């Protein structure tokens, strides 16, 4: 019941955001904030500037943990491999409509290197340069996507609506081929056509509807070995998780928006304030701002 009330409340608030006067006012404020923040953007290496330009032009980068060379990756992977063994193997019998098992808050707090990896300053600097504004970190989602036939929610085509631009960093923890539930996307160049043709205003789109607009030949699967990393703007690129048929997919999703997101009421937080206070003891002031942005 509480979930239904929250969803209904979010829709009411979102409807107010669609009032032309208010919408224009919010958009003007956003543009001014981006312009004002240009001189405060962190300096990047040539390689990281290239990453930002690729994101701006294509909306997605497919790389690897080895290529990124984040210093804390070995510790993060050690904790991730341990957590994989602790995850339940199946969906409870009374929840057959579900298709993913998430690590609990308790498990995340017992494997904190996973949380801290998403706050590496180099990653935050890359994302800030792409967003054009200070970064909000929405905590990692450690997930096991079950090989079942459930086709709903994020297994359907959609855009994320929390912000105008947002970043997900997806790390595969096992080898993912086309039968193991790869992240799928439609190239950025098709987004205007899809949005216009479907009169899209958020929500989920069935595959049979999408293929009437864009040929499945243009649907791209992000396959790769364990350690593959996908950096993607899920507010700009239509995407979904393909249904795994052969085996479960283990992955970590690290989510980021600006600290002034377009729809803050859709920004979900799994960890409690008490959790964050404990985690913040090891963080710099800038990192703390990323988790206490609200």
């Amino acid at each position: 019941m509480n979930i239904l009330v929250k969803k209904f409340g979010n829709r009411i608030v979102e409807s107010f955001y669609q009032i032309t006067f208010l919408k224009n006012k919010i958009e003007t404020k956003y543009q001014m904030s981006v312009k004002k923040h240009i001189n405060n953007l962190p300096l990047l290496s040539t390689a990281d500037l290239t990453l930002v330009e690729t994101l701006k032009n294509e909306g997605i980068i497919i790389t690897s943990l080895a290529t990124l060379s984040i210093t804390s990756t070995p510790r993060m992977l050690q904790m991730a491999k341990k957590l994989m063994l602790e995850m339940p193997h199946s969906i409870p019998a009374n929840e057959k409509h579900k298709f993913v098992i998430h690590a609990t808050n308790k498990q995340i707090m017992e494997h904190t290197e996973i949380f801290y990896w998403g706050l590496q300053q180099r990653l935050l600097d890359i994302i800030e340069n792409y967003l054009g504004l200070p970064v909000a970190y929405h905590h990692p989602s450690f997930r096991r996507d079950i090989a079942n036939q459930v086709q709903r929610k994020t297994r359907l085509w959609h855009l994320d609506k929390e912000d105008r631009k947002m970043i997900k960093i997806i790390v595969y923890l096992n080898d993912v081929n086309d039968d193991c539930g790869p992240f799928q996307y439609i190239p950025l160049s098709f987004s205007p056509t899809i949005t216009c043709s479907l009169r899209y205003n958020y929500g989920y789109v069935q595959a049979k509807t999408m293929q009437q607009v864009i040929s499945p030949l243009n649907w791209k699967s992000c396959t790769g070995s364990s350690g593959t990393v996908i950096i993607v703007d899920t507010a700009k690129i239509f995407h979904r998780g393909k249904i795994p048929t052969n085996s479960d997919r283990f992955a970590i999703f690290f989510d980021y928006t600006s600290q002034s997101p377009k729809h803050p009421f859709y920004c979900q937080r799994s960890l409690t304030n008490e959790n964050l206070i404990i985690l913040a003891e090891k963080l710099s002031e800038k990192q703390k701002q990323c988790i206490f942005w609200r």
Side-chain angles (χ1 to χ4, degrees):
M1 179 62 72
N2 287 338
I3 293 175
L4 290 175
V5 170
K6 185 176 180 182
K7 283 184 177 179
F8 184 66
N10 286 345
R11 287 172 182 166
I12 292 174
V13 175
E14 186 178 359
S15 67
F16 279 110
Y17 275 60
Q18 300 306 313
I19 298 172
T20 302
F21 168 74
L22 186 58
K23 187 176 180 180
N24 291 342
K25 188 174 181 180
I26 292 171
E27 190 61 28
T28 299
K29 183 179 179 182
Y30 164 72
Q31 295 294 345
M32 289 176 63
S33 297
V34 171
K35 187 175 181 180
K36 185 178 179 181
H37 193 65
I38 287 176
N39 293 330
N40 296 322
L41 291 173
L43 295 176
L44 297 181
S45 67
T46 301
D48 288 349
L49 277 172
T50 300
L51 291 179
V52 173
E53 287 306 307
T54 302
L55 277 172
K56 288 179 178 178
N57 293 330
E58 300 178 22
I60 190 168
I61 296 166
I62 303 171
T63 180
S64 68
L65 290 173
T67 301
L68 283 176
S69 299
I70 303 295
T71 54
S72 65
T73 292
R75 298 193 302 276
M76 183 273 281
L77 275 180
Q78 183 181 10
M79 291 293 100
K81 297 295 183 183
K82 182 182 175 187
L83 183 50
M84 285 172 69
L85 300 175
E86 301 174 12
M87 297 290 283
H89 288 77
S90 60
I91 301 287
N94 62 337
E95 297 181 343
K96 290 302 182 182
H97 62 289
K98 294 187 177 180
F99 55 86
V100 61
I101 299 171
H102 294 277
T104 64
N105 281 5
K106 183 174 182 291
Q107 288 173 319
I108 293 297
M109 293 302 291
E110 290 171 348
H111 304 81
T112 55
E113 288 299 336
I114 296 170
F115 176 89
Y116 288 130
W117 188 88
L119 278 169
Q120 294 299 300
Q121 194 58 56
R122 180 170 159 234
L123 290 177
L124 295 177
D125 289 349
I126 291 169
I127 295 166
E128 184 172 343
N129 271 269
Y130 174 71
L131 298 178
L133 290 170
V135 178
Y137 177 46
H138 299 285
H139 317 164
S141 172
F142 190 104
R143 51 190 289 163
R144 178 178 193 157
D145 285 82
I146 303 297
N148 61 21
Q149 293 303 307
V150 175
Q151 191 165 10
R152 60 194 298 267
K153 292 194 172 180
T154 57
R155 285 183 172 178
L156 303 177
W157 293 105
H158 64 285
L159 296 178
D160 292 340
K161 58 183 173 181
E162 289 89 334
D163 207 350
R164 299 160 183 83
K165 293 180 178 179
M166 57 186 295
I167 289 293
K168 284 188 189 293
I169 299 179
I170 305 165
V171 179
Y172 287 167
L173 298 173
N174 60 333
D175 295 346
V176 176
N177 60 31
D178 211 43
D179 297 320
C180 295
F183 176 87
Q184 287 191 315
Y185 72 98
I186 300 172
L188 180 63
S189 59
F190 291 108
S191 290
T193 300
I194 297 169
T195 301
C196 181
S197 298
L198 298 179
R199 297 182 180 178
Y200 182 80
N201 187 27
Y202 300 116
Y204 297 108
V205 180
Q206 296 281 348
K208 61 183 179 182
T209 302
M210 186 62 80
Q211 68 185 12
Q212 294 172 8
V213 179
I214 297 295
S215 167
L217 294 174
N218 294 305
W219 303 357
K220 308 295 183 182
S221 290
C222 297
T223 58
S225 58
S226 176
T228 294
V229 177
I230 303 156
I231 306 174
V232 56
D233 185 342
T234 53
K236 298 283 189 184
I237 281 185
F238 280 90
H239 62 283
R240 69 173 183 175
K242 189 179 181 184
I243 293 178
T245 54
N246 280 359
S247 61
D248 298 348
R249 184 195 71 185
F250 287 90
I252 313 173
F253 283 59
F254 299 88
D255 292 8
Y256 309 84
T257 67
S258 73
Q259 292 179 20
S260 302
K262 182 178 181 180
H263 296 137
F265 40 89
Y266 282 114
C267 295
Q268 298 180 358
R269 186 172 79 175
S270 55
L271 296 174
T272 66
N273 220 47
E274 290 74 17
N275 293 149
L276 295 181
I277 289 170
I278 294 170
L279 291 164
E281 293 175 2
K282 294 184 178 181
L283 300 180
S284 68
E285 283 305 312
K286 186 166 184 178
Q287 289 171 321
K288 288 177 183 178
Q289 290 170 13
C290 292
I291 65 170
F292 292 119
W293 62 275
R294 292 178 187 268

